[in-house]
Amino acid sequence: MTVGWVLMSERELDRVEVLSQVSQGRMTAVTAVTAANVLGLSRRQVHRLLKRFESEGAASIRHKARGRPSTRRIDPGLREYAVSLVREQ
């Protein structure tokens, strides 16, 4: 088994902590109201996250697009052209 580093935001770490408490039975899971209130999510969202957390582990909670380039990025050539226009003006 290989153990590696997984970068997570503070929000994702809070989710992992609360979900681990729910899965260990230290926080209510049946209604999931307590966990939902703590995380600021709906009860349904907590159940969905808990299912994925229990099947795939803590790394499944992190955002899936981390490390990927934005789909809304500006083409580097166009960006350079715009910057040169601004500098001339």
Side-chain angles (χ1 to χ4, degrees):
M1 182 171 139
T2 305
V3 178
W5 290 96
V6 177
L7 296 175
M8 291 186 154
S9 68
E10 195 70 33
R11 186 173 121 207
E12 292 165 343
L13 288 172
D14 290 341
R15 285 183 178 187
V16 168
E17 185 179 329
V18 170
L19 291 174
S20 68
Q21 289 179 6
V22 171
S23 67
Q24 294 172 359
R26 289 187 278 161
M27 196 177 285
T28 58
V30 176
T31 58
V33 172
T34 306
N37 288 338
V38 169
L39 295 175
L41 299 172
S42 69
R43 189 176 49 84
R44 181 177 178 275
Q45 181 77 354
V46 170
H47 280 290
R48 189 181 69 75
L49 286 174
L50 185 61
K51 181 178 175 182
R52 194 169 71 205
F53 174 75
E54 289 177 343
S55 66
E56 300 175 29
S60 66
I61 301 303
R62 82 171 181 78
H63 198 278
K64 301 299 183 221
R66 183 169 309 238
R68 295 183 187 170
S70 171
T71 58
R72 297 177 52 89
R73 67 184 176 275
I74 298 172
D75 179 53
L78 180 62
R79 184 182 185 287
E80 192 60 40
Y81 176 70
V83 169
S84 68
L85 284 177
V86 168
R87 286 185 181 144
E88 288 174 9
Q89 302 290 328

